[in-house]
Amino acid sequence: MKKVLVVDDEPSIVTLLTFNLEKEGYQVTSATDGLEGLDLALNQPFDFIILDVMLPSMDGMEITRTLRQEKIDAPILMLTAKDDQIDRILGLEMGADDYLTKPFSPREVLARMKAIFRRMAPRTSATVTEEPSAEFLQVGAIRADLTNYQVTVEGQAIILTPKEFELLVYFMKRKDRVINRDTLLDRIWKFDFAGQSRIVDVHVSHLREKIEVDPKHPRYLKTVRGFGYKFQEPHE
């Protein structure tokens, strides 16, 4: 049974989400205060976190940033009453995996959750030639375990957020191809953020900090100026 943390200061939303999540078989823990939600997320293992942006004590943006800094990699779905693209992009840059504007339906929340879980699952379809199924991917000294979502570099385990893991796997499966930012926005974030390349660049920068010996002079994840990025075997 997957464990879900719901953090929202509106009791009606907490009640609505709790009822529908439990009906779907999830185990739900809830909080109505930012600091309380952060404490729960830091001290208990959760498979998924639903997090309001506007909270007392500490807002959802700061909670997300703190959780990612503390290597808590549970997927985060952010909720907000603001329909503002800047807020949405900031939330995703902090490390959230998806974003939903209030008002919303419980069915949409469940659909977003299932989509995130599905994107995190290893591809098994033998009919998809673009993304062949494999238990492991290896490029140079980087090894990704698609079953357990673990990555090692030079044999040392590194901690990636779900979005960083998904981005790395996407690159590794397309080794030596130049991939533009709009494609990454569409395939990884599933949003229409045409022209909003900042979110891609921020995540690439975070990924480089974890997989490259010298992120300022990357050997694996290269920038192809004017086009996008290319993942390659390092050249000695």
Side-chain angles (χ1 to χ4, degrees), residues 112-125:
R112 296 287 186 99
M113 290 176 63
K114 289 176 181 177
I116 291 172
F117 283 134
R118 188 164 57 247
R119 294 203 302 266
M120 287 301 299
R123 305 279 182 159
T124 57
S125 174

Side-chain angles (χ1 to χ4, degrees), residues 97 119-120 137 144 151 160-175 179-181 183-189 198-208 211 221 229 231:
D97 293 87
R119 294 203 302 266
M120 287 301 299
L137 290 173
V151 175
L160 299 181
T161 68
K163 192 60 64 181
E164 289 166 354
F165 181 86
E166 187 179 357
L167 185 62
L168 176 63
V169 168
Y170 191 87
F171 277 126
M172 293 179 75
K173 287 180 175 178
R174 294 159 183 81
K175 186 183 70 166
I179 303 172
N180 65 46
R181 292 172 175 83
T183 297
L184 292 168
L185 286 168
D186 177 63
R187 299 298 177 88
I188 303 298
W189 281 270
R198 179 183 171 196
I199 186 172
V200 175
D201 296 338
V202 168
H203 278 76
V204 167
S205 177
H206 291 168
L207 185 58
R208 279 176 172 156
I211 66 171
L221 188 42
Y229 296 101
F231 198 85

Side-chain angles (χ1 to χ4, degrees), residues 117-140:
F117 283 134
R118 188 164 57 247
R119 294 203 302 266
M120 287 301 299
R123 305 279 182 159
T124 57
S125 174
T127 62
V128 180
T129 58
E130 183 185 12
E131 300 185 50
S133 63
E135 196 170 337
F136 295 94
L137 290 173
Q138 180 101 27
V139 177

Side-chain angles (χ1 to χ4, degrees), residues 33-139:
D33 176 88
L35 285 175
E36 179 189 2
L38 177 63
D39 182 67
L40 286 167
L42 289 173
N43 292 287
Q44 295 185 35
F46 290 99
D47 299 291
F48 202 95
I49 298 171
I50 300 175
L51 180 62
D52 191 20
V53 171
M54 303 299 293
L55 289 166
S57 302
M58 178 182 284
D59 67 38
M61 299 284 192
E62 186 62 28
I63 292 171
T64 299
R65 177 163 52 191
T66 302
L67 291 177
R68 296 315 189 209
Q69 288 175 343
E70 295 297 320
K71 312 303 183 186
I72 304 298
D73 60 359
I76 295 175
L77 173 64
M78 300 197 80
L79 307 176
T80 184
K82 297 181 180 180
D83 189 11
D84 189 323
Q85 190 180 69
I86 296 300
D87 282 344
R88 179 165 52 183
I89 292 170
L90 285 174
L92 294 170
E93 286 182 352
M94 293 294 180
D97 293 87
D98 206 344
Y99 193 103
L100 197 56
T101 303
K102 299 177 182 178
F104 54 81
S105 71
R107 290 181 64 181
E108 185 172 7
V109 172
L110 290 166
R112 296 287 186 99
M113 290 176 63
K114 289 176 181 177
I116 291 172
F117 283 134
R118 188 164 57 247
R119 294 203 302 266
M120 287 301 299
R123 305 279 182 159
T124 57
S125 174
T127 62
V128 180
T129 58
E130 183 185 12
E131 300 185 50
S133 63
E135 196 170 337
F136 295 94
L137 290 173
Q138 180 101 27
V139 177

